[in-house]
Amino acid sequence: MTLAAAHPGFLSPTGVEIAFLLVGLATFGAALVTVTTKQLVHAALWLVVTLGGLAVEYLLLTAEFIAWVQVLIYVGSVVVLLLFGLMLTKAPIGRSPDADSGNRWAALVVAVAAAAALVWVVVDAFRTTWIDLDGAAAGSTAVTGASLFQNWVLPFEALSVLLLAALVGAIVLSRKAKADAAAPQVPEARGEQAAEEGAR
Amino acid sequence: MHLVYPAVLSALLFCTGLYGVLARRNAILVLMSVELMLNAVNLNLVAFDVWLSKAARETLHSGQALTLFTIAIAAAEIGIGLAIVLAVHRNRGTSDIDRLRDAAEGPGDGSDDSDGSDSAAATAPGAEKAEATA
């Protein structure tokens, strides 16, 4: 890459960097609450904050299309599916003291060790690398659509087949051999179909 | 923008999801943590694609295309995963992954959770009731 002296350093952050940092702190805090809260429905709602914050980060990185797809699919359908799942498995509304399993301290050690190693390696590797955000947006709808339908057509079509297979699989998994379980499968199939439509 | 900011945020989000996958007991919370990990990967892909699309010329925008594919596959994954969780909950009466030990191996096989058959006698009374009502 270019020399570090040709770019602004850590001590003079630009406005985009400050915004990214603040939204990133909110996103990370919401993610921490998501994995540590004792109330299951609150975990799903904090996940909305995390995913929305990530959409804002995509906007700050000038990836507009990805940001709106993120809002559409994750916040729009995945969280709704998760809430349906929580309701259909009769999750308790209040605090559930057994939300964390017994090995949470081992999990904490593993996660902190992985975070330390990853952050150290990433900072060491990309210390002198800057993203050039000026000029045309790197991820506008026109650019993304052009590259998707010029270079990535075959994976795109294969992905539609995968989504169809997932839809059929979810329906098959949700129906019973007996005909008495018609109720729980309807929101499942609809949510999956909405996810597929959102992905197209 | 410095590339370290999105990369570090992505690493931290990934490790948060890792903690959630390892420490949570409810299967749907585990699925939420998997979503966090997938989103961390997406942020990494987008950041490096924005960097490389300016630093190099011909990149085919592979990072953003792969991000779209990851989002679609995550949508499929959450649908199938929730269908499996609901089927397990319908059959066993629980979505607690610590109690789904039928495939476990080891010296503890003589205990009550080693019954691999689908008879409801070995499961908890709550599971029995849920199975009766299902």
Side-chain angles (χ1 to χ4, degrees), chain A:
Chain A
M1 268 312 284
T2 52
L3 287 177
H7 290 281
F10 276 115
L11 293 181
S12 64
T14 60
V16 176
E17 283 178 342
I18 293 172
F20 193 96
L21 199 62
L22 292 178
V23 178
L25 281 178
T27 304
F28 181 53
L32 281 181
V33 177
T34 301
V35 298
T36 54
T37 180
K38 299 280 187 200
Q39 311 196 23
L40 305 184
V41 180
H42 286 195
L45 296 179
W46 281 105
L47 189 66
V48 173
V49 178
T50 307
L51 301 174
L54 272 171
V56 177
E57 306 281 43
Y58 293 153
L59 276 182
L60 289 175
L61 283 169
T62 71
E64 303 160 13
F65 184 67
I66 304 286
W68 299 124
V69 165
Q70 168 97 1
V71 171
L72 201 67
I73 292 186
Y74 273 113
V75 184
S77 72
V78 165
V79 174
V80 173
L81 266 182
L82 284 171
L83 283 172
F84 266 121
L86 282 177
M87 290 177 206
L88 289 175
T89 55
K90 303 183 185 64
I93 295 298
R95 298 174 66 85
S96 53
D98 57 347
D100 290 332
S101 67
N103 54 4
R104 66 183 297 250
W105 294 111
L108 190 64
V109 168
V110 168
V112 168
L118 276 177
V119 168
W120 179 50
V121 168
V122 159
V123 169
D124 196 36
F126 300 108
R127 202 171 41 209
T128 59
T129 308
W130 273 267
I131 304 176
D132 184 17
L133 288 179
D134 299 331
S140 64
T141 310
V143 174
T144 308
S147 76
L148 202 61
F149 288 105
Q150 279 174 1
N151 305 312
W152 298 93
V153 174
L154 185 60
F156 188 79
E157 296 299 327
L159 197 64
S160 66
V161 177
L162 179 128
L163 280 173
L164 179 65
L167 174 63
V168 174
I171 292 174
V172 169
L173 276 174
S174 302
R175 67 193 286 262
K176 289 181 71 176
K178 276 82 71 180
D180 53 354
Q185 77 192 18
V186 176
E188 181 66 33
R190 276 192 190 152
E192 176 62 30
Q193 204 164 16
E196 185 184 23
E197 284 166 3
R200 297 307 296 267

Side-chain angles (χ1 to χ4, degrees), chain A residues 1 8 10 13 16-17 20-21 24 27-28 31-38 40 43-44 47 50-51 54 57-58 60-63 65-66 69-70 73-74 78 81-82 85-86 88-91 98-104 107-108 110-111 114-115 118-119 122-123 126-136 138-139 143-144 147-148 151-152 155-156 159 162-163 165-166 169-170 173-176 180-181 184 188 192 195 199, chain B residues 1-91 93-99 130-134:
Chain A
M1 268 312 284
F10 276 115
V16 176
E17 283 178 342
F20 193 96
L21 199 62
T27 304
F28 181 53
L32 281 181
V33 177
T34 301
V35 298
T36 54
T37 180
K38 299 280 187 200
L40 305 184
L47 189 66
T50 307
L51 301 174
L54 272 171
E57 306 281 43
Y58 293 153
L60 289 175
L61 283 169
T62 71
F65 184 67
I66 304 286
V69 165
Q70 168 97 1
I73 292 186
Y74 273 113
V78 165
L81 266 182
L82 284 171
L86 282 177
L88 289 175
T89 55
K90 303 183 185 64
D98 57 347
D100 290 332
S101 67
N103 54 4
R104 66 183 297 250
L108 190 64
V110 168
L118 276 177
V119 168
V122 159
V123 169
F126 300 108
R127 202 171 41 209
T128 59
T129 308
W130 273 267
I131 304 176
D132 184 17
L133 288 179
D134 299 331
V143 174
T144 308
S147 76
L148 202 61
N151 305 312
W152 298 93
F156 188 79
L159 197 64
L162 179 128
L163 280 173
L173 276 174
S174 302
R175 67 193 286 262
K176 289 181 71 176
D180 53 354
E188 181 66 33
E192 176 62 30
Chain B
M1 185 194 291
H2 209 291
L3 187 57
V4 161
Y5 291 118
V8 166
L9 177 63
S10 161
L12 289 177
L13 279 180
F14 186 86
C15 293
T16 310
L18 182 65
Y19 168 76
V21 167
L22 291 178
R24 286 302 206 178
R25 184 174 272 170
N26 193 319
I28 296 180
L29 293 177
V30 172
L31 282 177
M32 286 184 203
S33 307
V34 170
E35 292 301 310
L36 274 181
M37 296 168 81
L38 285 169
N39 272 285
V41 174
N42 284 345
L43 180 63
N44 235 343
L45 282 171
V46 168
F48 279 90
D49 178 76
V50 173
W51 170 47
L52 283 178
S53 67
K54 298 293 172 61
R57 286 298 98 186
E58 297 295 327
T59 60
L60 301 182
H61 276 288
S62 48
Q64 304 207 11
L66 283 176
T67 305
L68 285 175
F69 296 161
T70 311
I71 288 174
I73 289 174
E77 172 254 333
I78 204 77
I80 295 289
L82 277 179
I84 292 172
V85 169
L86 289 184
V88 166
H89 181 265
R90 205 162 50 215
N91 288 328
T94 181
S95 57
D96 186 348
I97 56 177
D98 281 353
R99 290 168 61 191
E131 195 160 21
T133 58

Side-chain angles (χ1 to χ4, degrees), chain B residues 106-120:
Chain B
D109 272 348
S111 61
D112 55 349
D113 56 6
S114 67
D115 194 359
S117 68
D118 51 357
S119 68

